Amino acid sequence: MRFYNWCREQYGLNKGVFHTIDNWFYEYGIVNILSRRIYLLAFLEYAKASGMKEEDRKFLRFGNGGLVVKLREFLQIQEEEVYMI
């Protein structure tokens, strides 16, 4: 719960999106919780750097279907080793 609260404060992440991202990485094969948290933080930094969180908004905003698109994009970049964790 503390990790989620920290993510909410730092990135404006709501609980539903947090769980969706965490589950996405688990289904992708990152079952170790520490590794998943590292990926989750790297993804949140990537999303923030991509303009998904505007300064005047409280939460990250992905739009309808945008979270899945951004996750796929992030994982593709990881596989190409452009955005290394």
Side-chain angles (χ1 to χ4, degrees):
M1 191 62 150
R2 287 184 183 185
F3 181 66
Y4 162 71
N5 287 334
W6 186 86
C7 289
R8 182 177 43 103
E9 290 173 16
Q10 296 297 310
Y11 299 99
L13 191 66
N14 73 41
K15 197 174 276 191
V17 173
F18 174 85
H19 287 299
T20 299
I21 296 167
D22 186 57
N23 188 60
W24 183 274
F25 287 134
Y26 183 85
E27 294 293 323
Y28 184 73
I30 305 166
V31 294
N32 180 286
I33 186 70
L34 295 176
S35 297
R36 230 173 30 249
R37 285 183 173 182
I38 290 168
Y39 267 82
L40 196 142
L41 290 174
F43 172 73
L44 293 175
E45 279 296 317
Y46 172 74
K48 185 177 177 182
S50 299
M52 305 310 292
K53 183 170 188 307
E54 298 171 14
E55 293 298 322
D56 60 337
R57 301 242 171 144
K58 185 176 179 179
F59 295 105
L60 279 168
R61 298 186 65 111
F62 294 98
N64 190 15
L67 178 58
V68 171
V69 169
K70 200 50 98 175
L71 281 164
R72 286 182 181 148
E73 184 180 288
F74 173 77
L75 291 174
Q76 180 67 37
I77 291 169
Q78 286 302 311
E79 289 173 2
E80 295 171 359
E81 299 183 343
V82 174
Y83 190 85
M84 295 281 299
I85 294 178

